[in-house]
Amino acid sequence: FISISPHSRSKRREGEVVKVLERANHTIVGTLEKKSNSYFAFVVPDNKRLFFDVFVPEKELNEACNGQKVVTEIIRWPEKNRNPEGKIIEILGFREEVGVDIEAIIRQLELPGEFPAEVKEEARIISEEISTDEIVERRDLRGYPMVTIDGDDAKDFDDAVSIEELEDGILRLGVHIADVTHYVKEDSPLDKEAVERGTSIYLVDRVIPMLPEKLSNGICSLKPGEDRLCVSVFIDYSLEPVEITNYEIFTSVINSNHRLTYDQVRRILKGEEDHEFAPQLLLMNKLRKKLRKERFDNGGIDFDFPEVEVILNDEGKPVELKIIHHGESEQLIEEFMIAANRVIAEDMFWRDIPFIYRVHDQPDKDRIMEFNEFIHNFGYHLKGVKNDIHPGALQDLLQKVKGEDVERIIETVLLRTMKKAQYSGKNIGHFGLALEYYTHFTSPIRRYPDLMIHRVIKEVLENGKLSNKRLNELEHKIPLIADHSSLQERRAMEAERDTMDLKKIEFMEDKVGFEYNGIISGMINFGFFVELDNYVEGLVHVENLTDDYYYFKPEQMAMIGERTGKIYRLGDKVKVKVDRVNLDERQLDLKLLEG
């Protein structure tokens, strides 16, 4: 509860916290610190936004030892001159034990654990046989050539794709998505648990799935050579110019012929490997090029960030940072999934029924103006910033900086300038993709919005329209699902980022004294961040800039020397030395090298 001050001197209203009505953290994850022969201990929180250590009396230690990662339940909240008091409810283990560091992040963010017993039981009794009666009700595509294309270690195959050339040069793209709703019935224990989880979470050393493994890696995974139930979309394209001439949405049964990896597809497209599906892949690549060009010609924004994969050994230690570039084979699947999502979204929009859209709002004008001022430092400017910015203007900029030294930093700052995509029951379009209609239909194994809209699509296909009762039910339900799914998505992204950052810092633990080239990637009032050429980010503290007194100019995003006038800006190339690695703080300290 905040009491507003009537005598505020600033433009913003000021107040004083009078009373805490509800606490955000009822449990805290941290490291136990206990001196030998002491009758008490303290838990130092992993979350550095918590400024108090937690006092734990001896009777509440529950045999926890000094240095162990623990989960502490707060039994007395902090008071003036008094730390909060807690009791140990779970011992995760010592930090150096395999998986303990990741388990601590899981507990800290309160991510899902084991599936409840009733969910496991419901999954257990699901039949893996597809009945003849079910096949009769669907279009039988089991003789249709198709393929799944995923990463080397993928186990849950949401989608298969197919292609054929019709008369007059028309290409028919098929996108076939696992029919998860056939097994996950609305409001069942399985469904309620999937709603709560919202998404699968892909951590650096494990996956926390939205659905039990029997479904996600089993009956719902489109494994080659096995009959599977799907919701399919056929889209017919003419290529000169590229445009949709017809489409069809229907339930199906498939039997995927092939399972290829991105690397295999890359080699096949280059002619480095023979494969019986090669003719279809060449047709797919022809369509990919057309769809991608059309999308960018219409203003779609292409952020070409390489991904970093942390390779762990059997002890959970990072041994390699592998840079993964987004090539033709990844783009092929990306474009086909976007194509299916577009068709589904527009079809359902014009049916005027409650639906979940994937939306991306325009960036705020003041943020775009700030970004435009920033890129002026590098000799670039945006067109049309005084009006509503068109995504095409941003794509034009990205094309101009492609291959330049400032490419990555301008892309990074632009990404921070834009709003986050989210789920919504209201269609406002997708700014980044420059699309009027968009949704997420293609990953019902690992995203709940996809699963929910499959349910709506199938009801429409079966009945033609929805009853007033069902419409009212969905009108109430869909906004809640959209909001919750957006929240769970952000939580999953935070967890994925935290575990990745932790292992990146751990990778640098034995590299104190090593020298690296890097680029200034962020500015704060006490220093600047440098992204090394291995994509690990560290901090150069202002106190380590010893040749002058430097002050921060936020409007220029620069550090400027008071005496010399020397400037360090975002995007500048620098050479640094690793000075200190702090795993507890997840911080890499760097020193700037001259020359």
Side-chain angles (χ1 to χ4, degrees), residues 496-506 536 586:
E496 291 163 13
R497 184 180 61 247
D498 283 357
T499 58
M500 182 70 76
D501 288 347
L502 172 66
K503 290 301 180 181
K504 282 184 180 180
I505 298 299
E506 188 178 352
V536 179
R586 297 181 206 161

Side-chain angles (χ1 to χ4, degrees), residues 130-187:
I130 300 176
S131 69
T132 304
D133 290 343
E134 184 60 39
I135 291 174
V136 169
E137 295 296 319
R138 296 168 177 262
R139 189 175 304 183
D140 193 340
L141 299 180
R142 286 177 293 180
Y144 209 81
M146 59 183 68
V147 64
T148 61
I149 305 173
D150 289 275
D152 292 357
D153 56 354
K155 295 179 181 177
D156 54 343
F157 307 125
D158 291 287
D159 57 89
V161 290
S162 61
I163 198 164
E164 64 177 320
E165 190 165 13
L166 308 179
E167 295 179 354
D168 301 322
I170 299 293
L171 292 185
R172 172 166 292 172
L173 170 67
V175 178
H176 315 278
I177 308 299
D179 185 1
V180 180
T181 61
H182 180 78
Y183 304 99
V184 180
K185 304 303 183 184
E186 192 166 11
D187 294 330

Side-chain angles (χ1 to χ4, degrees), residues 40 144 163 268 283 455 464 466 517 580:
F40 62 89
Y144 209 81
I163 198 164
I268 294 167
L283 272 180
R455 199 169 274 141
L466 304 181
N517 294 316
R580 190 172 70 100

Side-chain angles (χ1 to χ4, degrees), residues 188-240:
S188 67
L190 262 174
D191 187 55
K192 289 177 180 177
E193 182 68 16
V195 170
E196 183 58 34
R197 294 184 177 224
T199 181
S200 295
I201 305 172
Y202 294 84
L203 305 181
V204 71
D205 69 338
R206 72 195 73 183
V207 177
I208 301 175
M210 185 181 78
L211 296 170
E213 186 175 353
K214 180 175 179 181
L215 280 78
S216 60
N217 296 353
I219 190 64
C220 292
S221 185
L222 307 184
K223 297 178 179 179
E226 298 188 20
D227 292 353
R228 290 291 185 261
L229 302 180
C230 285
V231 178
S232 293
V233 185
F234 274 158
I235 312 172
D236 294 349
Y237 288 99
S238 62
L239 298 185
E240 300 297 341

